[in-house]
Amino acid sequence: MPTELRTSSTFCDTHLTIMEQRTLPTVRVFAPGFWGEVDRFANYCHESYAFPDRDKRAVSGGTAHLEKAITLQALAVKLRPGLDIDRDQLNKNGFTRAANSRELSTVIEAAVLELYSSVDCTVKVLHAVYGKSSRSFPGSTRKLFHNIDKVTGDFPAELKDAIRTARWYNGLLYWRDELTHLTTGQCSLDHNTGAVNYLHMGMRQNGNAYVIDDVFAWLDEAIEKINAFSGIVFRLLNST
């Protein structure tokens, strides 16, 4: 199943990225000038919305899960040299336990699950805001993305467009669904390009085993696009 992701280096201007937030002084506890759209909504939404505790957690969860994904991405970078150890073992002994490959694959898969959870939390916030005014607003993230044109009521057209054009979603959903029930995939180093490939024999892509030729590039782009999507959503919510 295609991931529908393309590499790009520009984050959405409306949403301060986690990496940028890490550069802020740790003693600053109230600095609206440094907030992104999610931060702004989280700090001010209580004046407009009486969210129950579950929805309050969803507000903070979107950023928290994205930050976890970025942390796991950084850990994956640290584990990447271990693939050379597996390769050396294979060349020297004729076999390898591929322990480093499994570690790296596990971390990357955990990052994918965190990315989906970030999107899921964002949709839960949308449901908390618009669900009561629209009976057609589905309760699940999957149904919202797959049935966005059926949503009626006062749900903004800009948000419909953001969801409708999120071509990255189906690839992320497929990977998340399959990882819930399958064992860990495996990573290997492409000796010609230096890229890290991801392979899962239990998942299918056009009838073949599921392969991502450059999983680090995939992860970079997924983080970027989900970060941008959150920025669009919460920018509009901040105007309500």
Side-chain angles (χ1 to χ4, degrees), residues 112-126:
V112 171
L113 297 178
E114 292 297 334
L115 286 175
Y116 192 88
S117 294
S118 177
V119 177
D120 196 41
C121 284
T122 299
V123 170
K124 282 182 170 57
V125 175
L126 289 176

Side-chain angles (χ1 to χ4, degrees), residues 11-231:
F11 274 74
C12 178
D13 292 337
T14 61
H15 185 215
L16 186 65
T17 68
I18 299 299
M19 288 79 78
E20 291 170 327
Q21 291 179 38
R22 287 175 178 166
T23 65
L24 302 181
T26 56
V27 296
R28 182 179 285 119
V29 294
F30 185 79
F34 289 91
W35 286 346
E37 298 295 339
V38 180
D39 298 318
R40 192 169 293 112
F41 185 80
N43 280 277
Y44 291 131
C45 66
H46 63 277
E47 300 194 16
S48 300
Y49 301 104
F51 288 146
D53 288 342
R54 178 180 178 180
D55 294 330
K56 289 179 181 177
R57 290 195 295 270
V59 171
S60 60
T63 297
H65 286 294
L66 183 59
E67 183 174 19
K68 288 180 184 178
I70 293 172
T71 299
L72 289 165
Q73 178 192 37
L75 178 58
V77 172
K78 293 181 180 179
L79 293 175
R80 184 184 181 280
L83 295 179
D84 292 324
I85 298 176
D86 289 348
R87 182 181 59 184
D88 291 343
Q89 289 176 344
L90 181 62
N91 291 337
K92 180 179 180 180
N93 304 320
F95 69 92
T96 176
R97 295 177 57 247
N100 296 285
S101 171
R102 286 194 298 273
E103 289 180 355
L104 179 58
S105 299
T106 298
V107 170
I108 289 174
E109 291 173 355
V112 171
L113 297 178
E114 292 297 334
L115 286 175
Y116 192 88
S117 294
S118 177
V119 177
D120 196 41
C121 284
T122 299
V123 170
K124 282 182 170 57
V125 175
L126 289 176
H127 187 271
V129 174
Y130 296 105
K132 292 182 180 179
S133 62
S134 176
R135 292 185 178 180
S136 62
F137 198 104
S140 78
T141 300
R142 182 195 309 265
K143 290 181 179 179
L144 179 65
F145 274 85
H146 289 169
N147 300 282
I148 187 60
D149 291 322
K150 296 180 181 179
V151 177
T152 59
D154 61 352
F155 193 65
E158 182 180 350
L159 293 184
K160 282 189 176 183
D161 288 340
I163 292 171
R164 189 182 297 114
T165 58
R167 295 181 178 87
W168 45 265
Y169 175 75
N170 284 336
L172 182 66
L173 172 66
Y174 176 71
W175 202 353
R176 192 291 303 260
D177 283 351
E178 294 301 309
L179 291 179
T180 303
H181 305 290
L182 294 174
T183 57
T184 305
Q186 61 187 65
C187 287
S188 61
L189 193 62
D190 188 313
H191 305 314
N192 296 321
T193 66
V196 175
N197 301 329
Y198 175 87
L199 167 70
H200 204 302
M201 297 299 295
M203 298 167 63
R204 312 310 295 173
Q205 184 179 42
N206 299 324
N208 300 312
Y210 186 81
V211 177
I212 295 179
D213 291 331
D214 188 339
V215 71
F216 278 86
W218 189 98
L219 194 56
D220 282 341
E221 189 175 356
I223 289 172
E224 178 180 333
K225 288 189 177 295
I226 291 168
N227 183 75
F229 174 76
S230 298

